[in-house]
Amino acid sequence: MKLVMAVGQFGPALEEVLKRTGDTRNKAGAAAHVDASLIGKIVKGTRKPSKEVMASTTEYYDDGQLYIAAAGEVTHGAFVPWLNNVDLHKSSVHLKTIEEIHEAMDALMLAPITKTKEQLAETDLQQIKRTMMECVEAITALTHYVAILCNEYRFSWTDVWKEHRAYLRSKKYMK
């Protein structure tokens, strides 16, 4: 049996949310229907958060960083990581997002996607991979941008995504 380790973003994200809100571990524990000592262990990284704890706390705090961290945990890192060593001021994130979008657009223009896999040379495959990586960087920037703006201007992260899903349904892009 292969043991998959937790990514470990949820505890630090929860700690950040508690600092921002001024809430105690007791209050977070009550929101998650667990003891404050378990919240402390999750924050310290000595205990992996359960899906139920992540679901309860993300719903209670409605915070983009916490949702991103929870998604990273349940996907074992196959999601946008929270950037914790960059300037997350809204203006800096705004400018970096514009830069990343431009880089992704430039790479998209060069991607030889009109060819079949059999027609692609190794350099074509490398360009496709570069394009994918630029797109992932843009997705990371855009995700942070939305999270930062939700926090800054008191928009609900959940409501933004509910509205987006309603729009996609109205366009018949999803059922």
Side-chain angles (χ1 to χ4, degrees):
M1 181 171 98
K2 182 180 176 186
L3 180 63
V4 180
M5 299 302 290
V7 175
Q9 287 192 9
F10 192 80
L14 181 56
E15 186 173 34
E16 283 288 320
V17 169
L18 294 178
K19 285 178 187 173
R20 269 198 307 273
T21 62
D23 283 358
T24 63
R25 291 177 181 176
N26 279 332
K27 189 166 183 180
H33 314 292
V34 297
D35 189 76
S37 66
L38 178 59
I39 297 296
K41 290 174 185 173
I42 291 168
V43 165
K44 290 177 189 169
T46 59
R47 187 79 169 270
K48 182 178 176 181
S50 68
K51 289 181 184 178
E52 294 79 18
V53 167
M54 289 189 288
S56 297
T57 53
T58 54
E59 184 178 344
Y60 180 79
Y61 287 106
D62 193 18
D63 182 270
Q65 180 182 0
L66 207 52
Y67 273 107
I68 291 165
E73 291 286 343
V74 298
T75 63
H76 306 290
F79 193 70
V80 171
W82 186 257
L83 303 178
N84 58 8
N85 197 31
V86 298
D87 180 0
L88 291 175
H89 184 275
K90 66 183 180 211
S91 299
S92 299
V93 175
H94 181 88
L95 294 172
K96 186 63 175 174
T97 300
I98 292 169
E99 176 186 324
E100 294 297 347
I101 290 169
H102 282 291
E103 290 175 3
M105 288 291 297
D106 291 344
L108 285 163
M109 298 302 288
L110 298 174
I113 60 155
T114 57
K115 296 179 181 180
T116 66
K117 175 125 172 69
E118 294 77 30
Q119 294 170 323
L120 295 172
E122 184 59 33
T123 56
D124 294 329
L125 289 170
Q126 290 171 3
Q127 181 57 49
I128 290 171
K129 178 71 181 263
R130 275 193 297 278
T131 300
M132 290 170 31
M133 295 311 294
E134 290 295 345
C135 289
V136 168
E137 289 178 22
I139 291 165
T140 300
L142 286 161
T143 303
H144 280 75
Y145 187 67
V146 173
I148 296 300
L149 294 183
C150 283
N151 281 347
E152 180 75 22
Y153 297 110
R154 308 289 188 261
F155 287 104
S156 163
W157 174 265
T158 305
D159 289 348
V160 166
W161 287 102
K162 283 180 183 176
E163 187 175 328
H164 179 59
R165 286 178 178 273
Y167 170 78
L168 294 174
R169 283 188 193 97
S170 76
K171 293 291 187 182
K172 310 267 189 256
Y173 295 145
M174 59 185 291
K175 295 177 184 182

